[in-house]
Amino acid sequence: GKIITSLAEEYEKLKQLVELDELTQLANRRFFDKKLQHYCQLLSDTQEPLSLIIGEIDFFKVYKSYYGDKKANYCLQEVAQAFIHLIKSEDMLVARYGDAQFAVILPRIDKSAAVEIAKNIQAQVQSLKIEFNIPDYSGFPDSVVTVSLGLTTTILTANTDLDDLIFRAEKALQSAQIIGGNYLKSV
């Protein structure tokens, strides 16, 4: 009776902790890896595309050291919401990928559609108008929080290397960040 119910509830809570990032309520890195694996198996039979976006809040370390932890956490939560806001199907997944990094898995979404989604994410984050105004800091182009994004699309096959896919998206993000804030690079 009652004991079993509470055990089941406890288990559910634990499962959520294991799969959810507490601060942003997004899927965590572990769940992201699992989901990517799942889609790789699912879509390799039909050879459908999968797009992957990895994004990072621009100059977040600078933001955090200037505005402090509380504001930084608020910023992460708001940006997470902006990512979630644009997810139109339950196949898509947004995860917190790193400290100020977010990843989006877009199954059955080709490159041009993924680029549109990426641009929308950037516009959405900018429209939050989270103040980022540091006197005498020339490294920052805008006075609001922005994100840079790396995007890659692949047709999944049985021998698609997921690490390679992630690596390509991370590389694209790095080259976007070299260019400066609020930039999108797709490979």
Side-chain angles (χ1 to χ4, degrees):
K2 206 156 191 171
I3 295 169
I4 291 172
T5 314
S6 64
L7 272 176
E9 281 167 9
E10 284 304 302
Y11 176 71
E12 270 310 304
K13 272 187 210 154
L14 269 176
K15 215 172 78 176
Q16 280 189 320
L17 284 178
V18 172
E19 296 184 343
L20 271 194
D21 172 62
E22 216 173 323
L23 180 69
T24 59
Q25 294 300 302
L26 294 176
N28 62 18
R29 178 70 180 265
R30 210 169 135 179
F31 189 65
F32 164 85
D33 289 335
K34 219 162 78 175
K35 209 65 171 157
L36 196 58
Q37 199 80 47
H38 164 75
Y39 280 120
C40 193
Q41 286 160 347
L42 192 72
L43 299 177
S44 58
D45 301 341
T46 46
Q47 303 209 332
E48 290 176 278
L50 178 131
S51 293
L52 178 62
I53 299 172
I54 297 180
E56 185 162 11
I57 299 173
D58 293 314
F59 312 107
F60 188 69
K61 283 192 178 81
V62 178
Y63 181 93
K64 195 172 181 171
S65 63
Y66 183 77
Y67 285 104
D69 284 350
K70 202 173 162 189
K71 271 240 172 103
N73 284 347
Y74 169 78
C75 173
L76 283 167
Q77 288 168 327
E78 288 294 295
V79 171
Q81 285 307 311
F83 272 82
I84 292 172
H85 184 78
L86 291 152
I87 295 307
K88 298 290 182 253
S89 97
E90 50 197 45
D91 283 354
M92 299 174 179
L93 177 84
V94 183
R96 186 171 179 195
Y97 188 73
D99 182 30
Q101 287 186 335
F102 300 92
V104 188
I105 302 176
L106 301 166
R108 304 184 184 89
I109 301 281
D110 65 17
K111 192 169 188 166
S112 59
V115 166
E116 280 312 299
I117 289 170
K119 285 179 179 165
N120 286 337
I121 288 170
Q122 287 181 314
Q124 186 74 24
V125 169
Q126 245 180 327
S127 74
L128 293 170
K129 295 199 174 8
I130 300 170
E131 186 195 11
F132 193 161
N133 212 345
I134 299 180
D136 310 322
Y137 181 61
S138 60
F140 194 74
D142 301 292
S143 54
V144 296
V145 166
T146 55
V147 289
S148 287
L149 303 174
L151 188 162
T152 190
T153 303
T154 193
I155 300 289
L156 291 168
T157 64
N159 41 19
T160 297
D161 182 348
L162 287 185
D163 290 337
D164 182 54
L165 184 69
I166 291 171
F167 179 73
R168 288 209 311 265
E170 285 176 346
K171 278 307 242 202
L173 171 62
Q174 282 167 5
S175 32
Q177 287 171 321
I178 288 167
I179 297 165
N182 204 22
Y183 205 80
L184 164 67
K185 178 109 173 85
S186 68
V187 292

